[in-house]
Amino acid sequence: MENNITTISREELEELREAFGKIDIDNSGYVSDYELQDLFKEASLPLPGYKVREIVEKIIVVTDSNKDGKINFEEFVSIIQELKSKDVSKSFRKSINKKQGITAIGGTSAISSEGTQHSYSEEEKVAFVNWINKALQDDPDCKHLLPMNPSDASLFKSLADGILLCKMINFSQPDTIDERAINKKKLTPFTVSENLNLALNSASAIGCTVVNIGSQDLQEGKPHLVLGLLWQIIKVGLFADIEISRNEALIALLNEGEELDQLMKLSPEDLLLRWVNYHLANAGWQKITNFSQDIKDSRAYYHLLNEIAPKGDDPEQLPIKIDFTGFHDKNDLRRAEYMLQQADKLGCRQFVTPADVVAGNPKLNLAFVANLFNTYPALHKPDNSSYDLNLLEGESKEERTFRNWMNSLGVSPYVNHLYSDLSDALIIFQLYDMTRVPVNWSHVNKPPYSLLGGNMKKIENCNYAVELGKTKAKFSLVGIAGHDLNEGNPTLTLALVWQLMRRYTLNVLSDLGEGEKVNDEIIIKWVNQTLAKANKKTSIISFKDRSISTSLPVLDLIDAIAPKAVRPEMVKREDLSYQDKLNNAKYAISVARKIGARIYALPDDLVEVKPKMVMTVFACLMGRGLNRIK
C-alpha cells in the first residue's frame, strides 16, 4: 500500500483526503462501501451510476484488504491511483477547488502520521451562527455569548465553555439535559470540562455520532469537529417532527396505491422531498429530485413558498402574499436574493444565502426546507380514516434509545426507523464488528439490491446475523429466525438488539478490568462496595430493586465516584411523589453524563425500574469509577 501512496503527489493526496473526510464525517478513518458512491459524487466524477457500482465492487474485491466491508483511506487511495490515467484525481482536485468558502486549517489525521489539512465550510459556520443566535436569543444564561458575529471565529470561542452546546441540545431535543447540572457561574477549567462532557454524552444519547471527539477538541474550538457536531445536533431538532407518528398530516403525501407502512419507512430527507413535490405538483411545476442541482435557480422555491404561505382562510393567520417579481430575473444570484426576501416574510430566512442556493449546497438547502416545513407545513390530514392507527403510535422510548445508541456509534446508513432499517442486517453486522463478534464480510450481501430477488439477499443476511448471534456471540436467540429480523418482528428484533447493547457495555467494563469477564453479580457487588466505602446508606439487591425508582442509589454512587458532582440541595430524599422521583432521575442521568458516563437510558427507565436499562446505568458508572482509579 505504501508504494501506491508515494506515486500520488502530496497535493493530490491532500485533496483525496479532503474528499474522503467529507464523507467520513465522524472521523472514524473509514467509510463503508455504499458511502463510496457519495464519495465519488463529492468528487463530481463524470461517471454513470453503473460505472460507479463497478468501481465500488472493484474496491471491495481488490483493495478491501481486511475484507471488513469498510474502506480506509489507504485502500481508497490505491484504487484512485489505478484510475489516475482516467483523470479521476484531477476531477477530485477540480471539485474541491470549486468549493467556495472552504477554509483550510492545519491539523493531523488519525489515519496517517503525515500532517494533513482539515477544512471547514465558511457557509456552514455563518448558517449555524445565525440559527443559534435566533434560537437562544432570549436565554439569560447565554447573554454573555450572544449574539455571535457570523463573519469571525467567535462561534468556536463561544462554544468552548459548553453552555451553548448544552442549550442547543435542549433546543433540538427538549429535556435531554437537566439545566441544574450545567455549570453556569464562576467557571474553572474543570467545570468547563464537565459541561463539555455533559454536552458530548447528551449529544450521544440523542443519536449524534461523537466518535473521536473529546472535550479538549471542543475547548480548543477545532472547527471541523465543532461544525460536524453542531450540524448533527441542529438536524435532530429540524427532523424531530418530520415523522408521521408526530405529524399525521404527512399522510397527505401518500402516493396512489401506496400503503401507509411504506410511507412510514421513508427517511426525513425523503419525506421532505416528497413534501416539496406535493406542493410543486399543486402549483403545476416540475418535480425536484434533490436539494442541490434542482433548486439552484430558486424557481421551485418560489412556487413552494407561494403554496405554503397563509392564504387568509385561517382567522388566526394573516395572509402573506409571495411576490413573483424576481422570478423572471435573468441573474441567478439576484433571483435567489428576491426569493429569500419572500421567505423572510414567512420568518424563514435561515440557513442559506443567495450564494448557497445558487451553489446548490445540499446540507444548507436541506436545513432551509426543513425549517420551512416546521413553520408552514400546509398539509391537511385526509378525512379517510381507514388507516391502521397502530402504525401511527410511533416508536417506544426503548426503541428510540436503541436507535440513538446505534447512531451514536456511527453505523451507516443512519437508522431512522429501527425495524425497517435493520431488515437487511447490515447495521447488525456493523454492531457485531464493534462488539468483537467476527463477521465474514464476504458472506454479506450489500446494496444496491435488485428488485428481483433483492429481498432474498436481505433474508440471507438476516439468517447469517442470527447464526452469528447464536454461534459466535453466544446470545440467547431461541425462536428467532432470519425472516423475523427481515420482517421487523418487534419483540424478536429487540431481543437481539438488547443483547448487542449489553455486550457492548460489558466489553467496555471488561477492557477496564484487563479482560476479566463481567456479569450482573460483579456489577452489583461493585456498586454496593463502592457505596459502603463512601459511607452511603443506600444499596441494591438487584437491578429490579424498587429503591432504584428514587434514583438515590444512583446519585449516591455518583457522589462516591466523583465527590462534589452532586449538589445535595438538588436531591429530594423523603416523601417522594412521582414528580420528585422523575426530577431525581433527570438530575442523576445528567450528572452521570457530566462526570463522563455515556448513558443512553432515560429518566423514566430509573423511575419505572426497567432492569435492562438500569443495568446499563450502573455499568457505565462502574466504568467511570474504574477509569478514575486507573
Side-chain angles (χ1 to χ4, degrees):
M1 194 58 69
E2 287 304 312
N3 294 339
N4 288 341
I5 292 177
T6 52
T7 58
I8 284 182
S9 76
R10 183 177 178 78
E11 184 191 9
E12 285 172 319
L13 190 65
E14 287 189 358
E15 282 147 7
L16 292 176
R17 204 185 286 283
E18 182 80 71
F20 190 89
K22 282 176 188 293
I23 304 302
D24 178 25
I25 53 165
D26 64 357
N27 245 23
S28 62
Y30 57 75
V31 294
S32 44
D33 53 343
Y34 33 89
E35 286 177 305
L36 278 168
Q37 301 216 18
D38 289 341
L39 224 169
F40 283 113
K41 239 182 271 169
E42 184 62 51
S44 303
L45 281 181
L47 294 173
Y50 78 90
K51 192 71 188 158
V52 172
R53 277 194 297 280
E54 275 177 25
I55 293 170
V56 168
E57 281 164 21
K58 186 162 191 179
I59 291 176
I60 298 298
V61 174
V62 179
T63 59
D64 182 17
S65 44
N66 51 7
K67 300 289 178 258
D68 62 355
K70 297 169 187 166
I71 311 303
N72 65 28
F73 179 66
E74 282 77 7
E75 287 171 339
F76 175 66
V77 168
S78 73
I79 198 77
I80 293 298
Q81 191 244 350
E82 188 186 323
L83 293 167
K84 206 174 165 190
S85 59
K86 299 173 190 169
D87 287 341
V88 172
S89 300
K90 285 179 193 160
S91 217
F92 270 91
R93 180 185 306 147
K94 216 159 141 198
S95 140
I96 285 159
N97 286 347
K98 262 196 329 211
K99 297 264 175 200
Q100 292 186 342
I102 294 277
T103 307
I105 49 170
T108 54
S109 164
I111 306 161
S112 156
S113 57
E114 283 184 83
T116 184
Q117 287 197 325
H118 289 297
S119 69
Y120 69 90
S121 156
E122 194 66 27
E123 295 94 343
E124 283 176 29
K125 184 200 73 178
V126 170
F128 299 167
V129 165
N130 288 332
W131 183 246
I132 295 169
N133 281 344
K134 186 183 176 192
L136 303 178
Q137 62 188 357
D138 298 323
D139 191 316
D141 296 325
C142 302
K143 288 283 183 244
H144 66 300
L145 300 167
L146 301 181
M148 295 175 284
N149 182 346
S151 59
D152 63 20
S154 58
L155 170 67
F156 308 115
K157 294 188 186 82
S158 300
L159 289 176
D161 68 6
I163 294 175
L164 268 189
L165 270 176
C166 289
K167 295 285 187 172
M168 280 308 294
I169 288 167
N170 274 352
F171 179 76
S172 282
Q173 194 83 288
D175 280 341
T176 300
I177 295 174
D178 188 327
E179 290 264 342
R180 296 173 297 171
I182 305 172
N183 301 317
K184 296 174 183 174
K185 291 177 184 156
K186 296 180 183 169
L187 294 176
T188 65
F190 178 72
T191 55
V192 162
S193 179
E194 281 190 328
N195 279 349
L196 291 167
N197 279 334
L198 174 57
L200 281 170
N201 289 323
S202 301
S204 185
I206 62 170
C208 299
T209 304
V210 296
V211 182
N212 295 341
I213 307 177
S215 59
Q216 195 61 34
D217 298 317
L218 298 177
Q219 226 164 330
E220 290 167 13
K222 291 185 177 170
H224 65 294
L225 294 178
V226 167
L227 292 177
L229 177 61
L230 261 185
W231 168 238
Q232 292 185 77
I233 293 167
I234 289 169
K235 195 161 75 162
V236 164
L238 287 173
F239 285 3
D241 289 329
I242 307 173
E243 196 215 311
I244 294 170
S245 62
R246 295 182 68 156
N247 193 337
E248 289 183 21
L250 283 162
I251 294 172
L253 303 181
L254 266 173
N255 288 331
E256 201 153 334
E258 186 178 33
E259 295 292 328
L260 181 57
D261 66 331
Q262 289 172 284
L263 188 69
M264 294 192 74
K265 287 175 184 174
L266 294 183
S267 67
E269 291 94 332
D270 288 337
L271 277 172
L272 276 179
L273 202 56
R274 194 175 283 202
W275 173 72
V276 172
N277 285 327
Y278 169 86
H279 286 302
L280 292 181
N282 289 341
W285 193 253
Q286 67 257 35
K287 282 185 171 185
I288 64 167
T289 59
N290 55 59
F291 293 117
S292 49
Q293 197 66 35
D294 292 0
I295 50 79
K296 285 181 173 185
D297 66 3
S298 301
R299 291 193 168 111
Y301 280 159
Y302 260 108
H303 284 292
L304 175 62
L305 293 172
N306 193 45
E307 286 296 315
I308 66 174
K311 304 291 184 285
D313 41 13
D314 181 343
E316 290 182 20
Q317 280 185 328
L318 289 170
I320 298 172
K321 184 164 172 47
I322 300 300
D323 181 356
F324 267 69
T325 310
F327 184 86
H328 300 290
D329 196 294
K330 290 189 167 55
N331 181 289
D332 283 352
L333 269 174
R334 271 203 310 270
R335 193 184 316 113
E337 170 55 34
Y338 291 142
M339 179 277 293
L340 287 173
Q341 286 171 14
Q342 302 312 304
D344 203 18
K345 291 180 182 176
L346 302 178
C348 292
R349 184 168 186 157
Q350 282 288 348
F351 293 111
V352 288
T353 62
D356 298 327
V357 176
V358 174
N361 182 315
K363 189 183 287 185
L364 297 182
N365 278 285
L366 175 67
F368 172 67
V369 172
N371 187 43
L372 282 173
F373 173 87
N374 289 328
T375 316
Y376 290 102
L379 290 176
H380 302 287
K381 187 183 166 191
D383 298 331
N384 181 351
S385 57
S386 63
Y387 303 111
D388 181 355
L389 293 178
N390 291 327
L391 283 174
L392 298 176
E393 277 181 10
E395 63 184 351
S396 68
K397 288 176 179 175
E398 182 185 29
E399 288 161 353
R400 190 167 81 235
T401 301
F402 285 140
R403 196 168 57 77
N404 287 339
W405 167 66
M406 293 172 187
N407 287 327
S408 76
L409 296 178
V411 296
S412 180
Y414 188 89
V415 181
N416 289 298
H417 308 292
L418 188 63
Y419 304 113
S420 56
D421 290 356
L422 264 53
S423 66
D424 66 357
L426 280 186
I427 301 292
I428 301 287
F429 292 131
Q430 291 171 58
L431 294 170
Y432 277 148
D433 253 0
M434 293 170 192
T435 53
R436 297 176 213 149
V437 176
V439 176
N440 182 343
W441 284 94
S442 63
H443 284 184
V444 176
N445 302 311
K446 303 186 187 76
Y449 304 105
S450 62
L451 280 174
L452 271 178
N455 204 47
M456 272 313 299
K457 296 284 183 195
K458 293 180 181 182
I459 291 172
E460 284 171 12
N461 281 356
C462 292
N463 288 334
Y464 181 43
V466 172
E467 180 197 328
L468 283 179
K470 288 176 177 172
T471 58
K472 302 288 185 192
K474 303 285 187 272
F475 288 164
S476 169
L477 298 175
V478 181
I480 300 181
H483 66 82
D484 296 313
L485 279 185
N486 177 255
E487 291 164 11
N489 178 305
T491 308
L492 301 179
T493 303
L494 289 178
L496 172 58
V497 171
W498 157 244
Q499 289 178 82
L500 274 164
M501 188 180 196
R502 176 184 165 82
R503 183 183 173 100
Y504 179 84
T505 307
L506 295 181
N507 276 355
V508 173
L509 277 182
S510 181
D511 290 347
L512 288 167
E514 274 137 29
E516 188 189 336
K517 284 271 181 250
V518 179
N519 57 28
D520 290 7
E521 288 69 35
I522 288 171
I523 298 169
I524 290 164
K525 186 179 174 188
W526 180 87
V527 167
N528 288 329
Q529 283 176 345
T530 308
L531 287 168
K533 214 178 286 180
N535 299 316
K536 302 293 182 187
K537 290 178 182 157
T538 48
S539 63
I540 59 169
I541 299 163
S542 72
F543 296 132
K544 294 178 183 173
D545 194 314
R546 295 311 302 169
S547 71
I548 294 166
S549 74
T550 64
S551 294
L552 295 176
V554 179
L555 286 157
D556 285 347
L557 185 61
I558 293 168
D559 190 58
I561 296 166
K564 297 187 182 164
V566 175
R567 287 161 56 201
E569 71 274 18
M570 296 297 169
V571 181
K572 180 122 191 245
R573 290 192 169 264
E574 286 164 11
D575 304 322
L576 274 67
S577 66
Y578 176 82
Q579 192 56 49
D580 293 331
K581 289 179 177 181
L582 196 59
N583 287 342
N584 276 359
K586 284 179 182 175
Y587 186 60
I589 285 174
S590 283
V591 178
R593 289 174 181 156
K594 177 172 155 179
I595 66 164
R598 186 147 293 171
I599 286 175
Y600 294 90
L602 299 166
D604 299 20
D605 296 326
L606 290 179
V607 176
E608 292 163 26
V609 195
K610 294 189 172 166
K612 291 174 180 173
M613 287 300 149
V614 165
M615 185 283 276
T616 65
V617 171
F618 283 114
C620 289
L621 285 170
M622 180 176 174
R624 201 68 208 105
L626 293 176
N627 224 351
R628 290 193 171 220
I629 293 163
K630 286 190 144 193

